Amino acid sequence: MIEVRDLKKSFGDTHVLNGVNVQVDRGECICIIGPSGSGKSTFLRCLNLLEIPDGGEITVNGQEILGGKMDVDQYRENVGMVFQHFNLFPNMTVLRNITLAPVRLGKWTADEAEEKALELLRRVGLEKKAQAYPNKLSGGQKQRVAIARALAMNPEILLFDEPTSALDPEMVGEVLEVMKGLVREGITMLVVTHEMGFAREVSSRVLFFDHGVVLEEGKPEQLFVKPEHQRTKSFLSKVL
Amino acid sequence: MNLEKKKMAVLTGLILAGGLFLGSWNTQQALAKPQKVVVGTNAEYAPFEYLDSDGNLTGFDYELMEAVAEAEGVELEWRDMPFDSLVGSMEAGDIEVIAAGIGPTKEREKSVDFSDIYYTGSQSIVSRSDYTFEDFASLSGKKVAVLEGSQSDFIVSGENTDYGTVSDAVPIRFKNASSAIMELKNGGADAVLIDTIMAEIYCRQTDGIVSTAIPGTEEDTVFCIEKGNQEIREMINRGLKTVRQEGRYDELYEKYFSGEEEGGTQIAAVSEQTGFFGTLKFIFLEENRWKYYINGLKITIIVSLMSVCVGMVIGLCVALVRLDADRKRKETIASRIMNAYVDIIRGTPSVLQLMIIYFAVFHSRLGYVAAVVSFGINSGAYVSEVIRGGILAVDRGQTEAGRSLGLGYGDTMRFIIIPQAVKNILPAMGNEFIQLIKETSILGYVGIVDLTKASSYVSSRTYQMFIPLVAAGIMYYLIVKALSVLLGKFERRLRESD
């Protein structure tokens, strides 16, 4: 479904991605781990063109998305993103956070929007917060709303950029529960995370990023138990 | 300045020059109709020309010129402008006649034609009572206050005139006579050289000063006529003769220069009240002079409000174009023009911008529109920076979240970024409005009677230098204070909703 070949990206003199190759099948949940500065987030942001890669190819559903021939906004409707800092719109209620994009882009009519948004909120367990403003929510609640917002566009692919890193420890669980539910529903997911437990339990494959390349990849039981590379071993020994 | 910026500056200059050219071409066209004559004046020279308390032009020159026009069956269109812009406006073809108590000097003769002489005045030296100057020679090396661009200015500046000249004097130039007298009283000037009629009025009104008429300074006063326009010149001379024959001239002379007639006291307003409250009553209540303030206040508020609206629209457009260029990391022609615009406006004084737009672009027509355009353009440059800053201060993650949902740049701005930016922008915008209210006090430079100008009129009409100006200051302060309090409340409300 997603095919990335030799992806490169630099910021000035800093080479962040040095030729990343990844293949993702429909319904997979890929967890991306690695030390900070290894290019995980940049890679994820390249996938929905928040960063424009300097070189390489990205093909999604057989369509080449680099090279500027494609409608970026239309492509992004199909690739949802959940951010580390939630990025909820503070000037709108939870409900409007969710309905804004689908109504503006014609996915939902104004009449059905509220009902559909409430349905999504029920999925993340927050239907009572529909009329609240984001600043009245806890971190965990904010992130669950952000997930509901991303789901509203009914994307085939969901990108998670360290979704639990900004949360207090007691709130990590509720967000991971929601994500697990999505995995069971079969949405294709790429998750940059430091939650090794989550990666181990639900991911179909784990990618270990180091110095802007995928140094090692494999099924979680294989990568976590018998990593091949010394760098992977030393990283895992620090975080596990 | 890099090459691109230079190019833009040249381009902006060309656009401006093109506008000026088109503007002057239009006026040339308008001159084809002879039955309407455009007359320029400077209504700051009572009793020759000044504004009454309703803001209408009046004065000896005004009434005389109107009488001439009536005798000749033509209609007049009056344009009030600064004294030193009159000849330039005539050369630019904006006005055909100048009626502003002007003397027929050799210098002026190069640019304009003169009518027959309609009044002869003389110069007087006003000084503090303890010292009098007898002639021009005694002014040598002294500080002499004069009206900028007037006959006395030329004399004191040592320029060769037909009435004699003062060498080595230090001229201090003022826009109105009461400021000049004030300077004398305060000791900043040793003498004021001024028309005898005005000198006598001031001496009657103000303690501690005396005036000495200078023999041999009889100076003639004429109307100036566009160079080579025989038709209008003959018409005015013919009209002057008729007006003299019919006795209208003597009536007007009596009314304005005797100082005893009812009309005369109106010009030479003399306080008969005593005590502080008496003076206040005289300044503000007599002849409804408070009306000047009310009208001036209206102008100040209306021009400020409209300008801030124009400024916001311009500012938002400029900010969005510049932000878009920033975002794409690519300058476009539009963004370069906007950069140059902000650069030029912020780099030049607003009073010059106002005068250029008013005189050169609008040719003294549509006065308030020109003022609003000028202040709007000025404010727009500052507002655009405020808006740009406000938008940049909204977390980048907000844009990313909007765009990642598939919303376009426009929708993201409209629904997500701008509503949040407004909160950052409002306080600064309030300050901009306050700034603008005070900035409009330069409107007097283009003859628009705002609050400041009104107070200086009242000052010159009542020969009171201090109280009328302080009154205007208090009014500005009260408006600004009221606005600050409102803004403060509004800001607190905004913060509470966070």
Side-chain angles (χ1 to χ4, degrees):
Chain A
M1 185 185 202
I2 305 173
E3 203 174 338
V4 179
R5 271 187 301 274
D6 198 26
L7 198 67
K8 290 195 171 108
K9 173 74 185 173
S10 313
F11 295 108
D13 292 335
T14 318
H15 300 287
V16 183
L17 299 180
N18 296 311
V20 173
N21 293 288
V22 172
Q23 249 186 324
V24 181
D25 291 331
R26 190 174 294 275
E28 269 197 294
C29 173
I30 306 285
C31 279
I32 301 169
I33 62 171
S36 60
S38 60
K40 312 178 297 277
S41 285
T42 305
F43 168 68
L44 206 66
R45 291 162 62 81
C46 282
L47 287 182
N48 75 346
L49 302 178
L50 284 179
E51 305 291 351
I52 306 299
D54 300 329
E57 281 176 25
I58 301 175
T59 316
V60 175
N61 289 332
Q63 194 195 5
E64 176 58 52
I65 66 160
L66 300 180
K69 288 196 194 86
M70 172 211 55
D71 181 341
V72 175
D73 291 334
Q74 214 174 356
Y75 165 72
R76 282 177 179 148
E77 292 182 21
N78 197 32
V79 186
M81 180 127 181
V82 174
F83 300 86
Q84 178 179 357
H85 294 287
F86 331 125
N87 296 348
L88 292 183
F89 309 132
N91 55 321
M92 306 172 196
T93 60
V94 163
L95 193 80
R96 183 141 163 79
N97 259 277
I98 296 172
T99 58
L100 176 68
V103 171
R104 284 297 297 172
L105 299 169
K107 287 228 159 177
W108 298 351
T109 66
D111 297 335
E112 67 185 3
E114 182 168 345
E115 196 185 318
K116 292 204 167 190
L118 284 173
E119 196 182 308
L120 283 170
L121 283 173
R122 217 166 292 135
R123 264 168 85 179
V124 299
L126 286 172
E127 67 269 38
K128 286 195 185 117
K129 298 287 184 188
Q131 295 307 329
Y133 278 86
N135 59 359
K136 300 281 183 246
L137 303 181
S138 72
Q141 289 170 332
K142 281 184 195 167
Q143 197 60 299
R144 285 188 280 157
V145 172
I147 293 171
R149 180 176 70 179
L151 287 172
M153 292 305 293
N154 200 21
E156 283 185 287
I157 301 165
L158 264 184
L159 309 174
F160 291 82
D161 189 2
E162 304 199 22
T164 57
S165 299
L167 296 178
D168 290 339
E170 75 268 24
M171 292 172 181
V172 170
E174 61 189 76
V175 173
L176 292 182
E177 273 315 306
V178 171
M179 290 168 67
K180 282 178 197 167
L182 299 177
V183 176
R184 282 193 291 275
E185 286 171 35
I187 295 177
T188 311
M189 293 164 56
L190 284 90
V191 185
V192 172
T193 187
H194 296 294
E195 293 297 326
M196 297 303 154
F198 174 82
R200 219 163 163 162
E201 191 184 331
V202 301
S203 69
S204 50
R205 259 188 308 148
V206 177
L207 311 181
F208 177 72
F209 264 64
D210 193 40
H211 291 111
V213 295
V214 180
L215 190 67
E216 186 168 353
E217 66 168 282
K219 301 235 174 261
E221 54 271 25
Q222 170 202 336
L223 192 127
F224 282 112
V225 179
K226 275 191 295 171
E228 284 175 15
H229 286 268
Q230 189 52 46
R231 296 273 312 152
T232 319
K233 269 180 215 164
S234 81
F235 174 76
L236 288 174
S237 70
K238 277 179 214 146
V239 297
L240 283 178
Chain B
M1 201 188 250
N2 62 33
L3 192 64
E4 286 302 330
K5 273 199 186 154
K6 262 187 204 160
K7 272 192 205 158
M8 282 325 305
V10 170
L11 186 62
T12 319
L14 282 177
I15 292 170
L16 261 179
L20 297 188
F21 173 76
L22 282 177
S24 47
W25 183 73
N26 276 336
T27 19
Q28 298 296 347
Q29 297 284 309
L31 290 186
K33 304 174 221 157
Q35 69 273 24
K36 191 165 193 177
V37 176
V38 187
V39 187
T41 190
N42 167 233
E44 294 184 80
Y45 197 59
F48 292 95
E49 41 267 327
Y50 60 97
L51 300 183
D52 65 19
S53 58
D54 294 323
N56 298 317
L57 256 176
T58 185
F60 180 73
D61 287 351
Y62 173 80
E63 289 209 44
L64 181 60
M65 193 66 214
E66 281 291 346
V68 167
E70 197 187 316
E72 287 294 313
V74 296
E75 208 181 307
L76 300 182
E77 183 188 330
W78 289 84
R79 299 244 176 93
D80 185 15
M81 59 181 76
F83 190 79
D84 42 17
S85 310
L86 285 165
V87 173
S89 289
M90 178 169 274
E91 285 175 320
D94 292 339
I95 55 178
E96 298 160 278
V97 175
I98 299 173
I102 279 184
T105 60
K106 284 177 190 138
E107 271 305 309
R108 290 196 181 110
E109 200 169 15
K110 289 176 196 155
S111 344
V112 299
D113 286 345
F114 299 132
S115 74
D116 291 345
I117 293 158
Y118 67 81
Y119 172 78
T120 302
S122 65
Q123 295 283 332
S124 282
I125 300 173
V126 182
S127 59
R128 289 183 291 277
S129 312
D130 52 3
Y131 194 90
T132 49
F133 298 92
E134 298 302 330
D135 50 22
F136 286 159
S138 63
L139 287 177
S140 182
K142 303 289 182 191
K143 285 181 279 185
V144 184
V146 293
L147 289 184
E148 187 173 358
S150 71
Q151 193 64 253
S152 54
D153 187 0
F154 298 143
I155 294 171
V156 173
S157 303
E159 287 170 33
N160 194 17
T161 71
D162 299 342
Y163 314 106
T165 172
V166 180
S167 53
D168 299 327
V170 182
I172 311 174
R173 300 182 177 88
F174 288 95
K175 293 269 183 208
N176 60 52
S178 71
S179 301
I181 297 288
M182 182 77 170
E183 188 78 0
L184 172 70
K185 281 205 75 175
N186 287 345
D190 301 313
V192 178
L193 187 60
I194 197 173
D195 194 90
T196 299
I197 289 175
M198 299 183 82
E200 282 170 2
I201 295 172
Y202 275 101
C203 288
R204 238 181 290 150
Q205 173 64 31
T206 314
D207 291 333
I209 58 173
V210 292
S211 99
T212 314
I214 307 296
T217 57
E218 288 72 26
E219 56 180 321
D220 301 327
T221 308
V222 295
F223 297 120
C224 298
I225 296 127
E226 199 180 16
K227 194 94 193 151
N229 195 332
Q230 285 301 321
E231 194 191 343
I232 291 184
R233 206 186 115 167
E234 279 161 22
M235 181 201 83
I236 288 178
N237 288 341
R238 207 165 46 230
L240 273 173
K241 248 179 231 140
T242 317
V243 170
R244 278 183 198 271
Q245 279 161 9
E246 288 173 353
R248 286 279 289 135
Y249 181 90
D250 293 337
E251 279 171 34
L252 291 175
Y253 193 92
E254 193 71 7
K255 173 174 175 187
Y256 283 99
F257 300 132
S258 71
E260 283 156 16
E261 296 277 312
E262 200 185 328
T265 44
Q266 193 178 341
I267 304 128
V270 176
S271 172
E272 283 157 13
Q273 310 281 343
T274 48
F276 181 67
F277 290 103
T279 312
L280 284 188
K281 192 177 161 220
F282 160 68
I283 293 174
F284 298 111
L285 297 184
E286 268 180 31
E287 291 174 42
N288 288 334
R289 272 190 281 269
W290 53 273
K291 270 195 191 165
Y292 282 108
Y293 284 90
I294 300 302
N295 291 333
L297 194 61
K298 262 191 244 162
I299 300 295
T300 292
I301 290 175
I302 291 172
V303 169
S304 309
L305 258 179
M306 307 256 293
S307 302
V308 96
C309 294
V310 172
M312 271 196 228
V313 173
I314 294 178
L316 184 63
C317 296
V318 171
L320 288 179
V321 169
R322 293 186 71 190
L323 282 167
D324 192 48
D326 280 357
R327 180 175 66 99
K328 291 176 179 150
R329 295 197 185 88
K330 192 167 167 273
E331 296 281 337
T332 58
I333 291 180
S335 76
R336 287 206 180 106
I337 291 178
M338 302 301 168
N339 290 345
Y341 156 72
V342 173
D343 207 43
I344 289 170
I345 295 297
R346 292 207 300 179
T348 52
S350 48
V351 61
L352 293 186
Q353 294 161 12
L354 176 66
M355 295 208 293
I356 288 171
I357 288 174
Y358 184 88
F359 294 117
V361 179
F362 278 82
H363 288 267
S364 312
R365 277 167 297 187
L366 301 171
Y368 298 122
V369 180
V372 167
V373 166
S374 173
F375 284 113
I377 287 176
N378 179 278
S379 174
Y382 294 92
V383 168
S384 80
E385 287 298 277
V386 169
I387 293 180
R388 214 163 72 100
I391 287 176
L392 287 175
V394 175
D395 183 43
R396 222 173 72 130
Q398 292 290 313
T399 311
E400 292 182 348
R403 301 304 303 271
S404 78
L405 289 166
L407 290 171
Y409 176 70
D411 271 6
T412 307
M413 275 289 162
R414 185 173 146 202
F415 294 105
I416 300 165
I417 306 303
I418 291 179
Q420 294 183 55
V422 166
K423 254 186 219 182
N424 306 332
I425 289 168
L426 267 177
M429 210 61 120
N431 280 338
E432 174 61 26
F433 186 38
I434 287 171
Q435 199 61 41
L436 197 62
I437 288 175
K438 291 180 289 170
E439 193 81 13
T440 56
S441 62
I442 60 175
L443 278 170
Y445 276 87
V446 295
I448 294 177
V449 187
D450 71 318
L451 183 53
T452 300
K453 188 70 184 176
S455 68
S456 97
Y457 266 122
V458 170
S459 168
S460 66
R461 290 289 305 286
T462 58
Y463 308 96
Q464 295 280 337
M465 294 95 192
F466 185 62
I467 297 171
L469 303 183
V470 170
I474 292 173
M475 289 169 109
Y476 277 110
Y477 178 78
L478 289 179
I479 305 175
V480 168
K481 190 74 196 168
L483 258 176
S484 315
V485 169
L486 274 177
L487 273 168
K489 275 197 178 149
F490 195 57
E491 264 178 67
R492 240 168 288 136
R493 280 251 308 273
L494 277 181
R495 245 178 285 138
E496 273 164 16
S497 77
D498 269 348

